[in-house]
Amino acid sequence: MMKEKQTYHVDLVSGDVLGKKFEENPSFTIHATDEELAELKQCLEEHRTDDLESYARSHVPYLLYHHDRANDKYDKAMKKLYAIIYKLGDETARNHIDQIGILADNKFKGNEEIQNFK
């Protein structure tokens, strides 16, 4: 039995997934099953945690950005998040992600399903 997909709007600024789009908030439109939505919400939570860790690390002046695991985790979580949105998103979302090029480099080492989504 095919699971029915619902339309949601992902606001990366607030980290919210909404059923209704608010004009003042930029968001990506996605179409997801309950399981896909749960995966996206888990990824948003991981991203939020990694963001807080990298923020705390940013206040340590002697640690360089390019030698920092917290920033590496943040970058990986951001790319995974964009990969999921690309996979579930509408054409506008995919075009925007293609334009910003966040998934174009070969540094993304997420799970194989998301790596090969294109």
Side-chain angles (χ1 to χ4, degrees):
M1 184 170 129
M2 181 87 165
K3 303 247 179 169
E4 187 173 329
K5 292 191 176 214
Q6 300 293 320
T7 300
Y8 301 97
H9 304 280
V10 181
D11 183 352
L12 293 182
V13 175
S14 68
D16 293 329
V17 179
L18 307 168
K20 180 179 178 183
K21 184 175 184 174
F22 294 101
E23 291 303 320
E24 64 273 4
N25 293 342
S27 62
F28 293 105
T29 301
I30 64 164
H31 308 286
T33 63
D34 291 341
E35 291 82 16
E36 292 167 333
L37 183 61
E39 178 184 3
L40 175 63
K41 286 183 177 182
Q42 176 65 35
C43 188
L44 282 165
E45 186 57 38
E46 289 171 13
H47 178 261
R48 184 176 296 121
T49 300
D50 293 337
D51 186 31
L52 289 173
E53 287 177 19
S54 67
Y55 173 76
R57 197 269 349 131
S58 71
H59 292 86
V60 181
Y62 59 86
L63 288 177
L64 301 176
Y65 173 83
H66 59 285
H67 290 226
D68 182 27
R69 288 186 188 163
N71 282 325
D72 292 343
K73 281 179 59 180
Y74 174 84
D75 291 347
K76 182 179 177 182
M78 181 64 84
K79 287 184 178 188
K80 181 178 178 184
L81 184 56
Y82 273 102
I84 292 170
I85 292 170
Y86 190 98
K87 179 178 147 189
L88 302 175
D90 63 5
E91 184 176 347
T92 303
R94 288 190 301 275
N95 287 340
H96 176 75
I97 292 168
D98 283 337
Q99 283 182 336
I100 63 173
I102 191 167
L103 302 176
D105 66 22
N106 292 328
K107 295 179 183 175
F108 180 62
K109 304 289 188 218
N111 73 37
E112 192 167 312
E113 175 188 345
I114 293 173
Q115 271 191 69
N116 298 321
F117 66 91
K118 285 190 178 180

